Amino acid sequence: MHKLFRKWGIVARGIIIINRIFFVFVKDEYLIELGNQIRTLRKEKGLSQEQLALKADVDRSYMGGIERGERNVTFLTLVKIANTLGCDVAKFTKGIPQPAS
């Protein structure tokens, strides 16, 4: 992985070349962790991704992108998801970022 990606804490997702222009799709490690925590809570509640999206009034494919760390989700969307899962937003972000050693 490119050293700048490591420095910024992002993971390369894929590269697309259009008219000799490189587009690099990246995932941020913090968004990946946020998505993992949302996925864990959703599964604990026994909800499918589609059920959570419907109840939280979020598009199903957008919800998938959040859980995969592909979306830089807004605070208001986090509030909707938290309300649906019966928790507060802090539950999603606990341990993000990890404290420096």
Side-chain angles (χ1 to χ4, degrees), residues 28-38 69 92 94-96:
D28 182 273
E29 67 180 318
Y30 301 128
L31 294 178
I32 292 169
E33 183 56 33
L34 175 66
N36 287 338
Q37 291 189 34
I38 291 171
F92 301 147
K94 184 173 177 138
I96 303 173

Side-chain angles (χ1 to χ4, degrees), residues 38-56 67 81 83-86:
I38 291 171
R39 179 182 292 119
T40 299
L41 288 168
R42 171 181 61 78
K43 287 182 175 183
E44 286 175 5
K45 297 288 182 176
L47 294 172
S48 69
Q49 212 174 63
E50 188 171 5
Q51 289 169 323
L52 175 58
L54 184 63
K55 290 180 179 189
E67 288 190 2
I81 295 168
N83 279 334
T84 303
L85 293 174

Side-chain angles (χ1 to χ4, degrees), residues 21-101:
I21 299 173
F22 290 85
F23 295 93
V24 178
F25 295 92
V26 295
K27 287 185 175 183
D28 182 273
E29 67 180 318
Y30 301 128
L31 294 178
I32 292 169
E33 183 56 33
L34 175 66
N36 287 338
Q37 291 189 34
I38 291 171
R39 179 182 292 119
T40 299
L41 288 168
R42 171 181 61 78
K43 287 182 175 183
E44 286 175 5
K45 297 288 182 176
L47 294 172
S48 69
Q49 212 174 63
E50 188 171 5
Q51 289 169 323
L52 175 58
L54 184 63
K55 290 180 179 189
D57 192 30
V58 175
D59 185 82
R60 180 191 50 79
S61 63
Y62 189 73
M63 181 63 68
I66 293 169
E67 288 190 2
R68 289 187 304 274
E70 297 170 350
R71 302 290 185 175
N72 191 2
V73 61
T74 67
F75 182 75
L76 292 177
T77 301
L78 284 178
V79 169
K80 287 187 205 179
I81 295 168
N83 279 334
T84 303
L85 293 174
C87 64
D88 60 13
V89 174
K91 182 99 173 172
F92 301 147
T93 58
K94 184 173 177 138
I96 303 173
Q98 289 290 332
S101 332

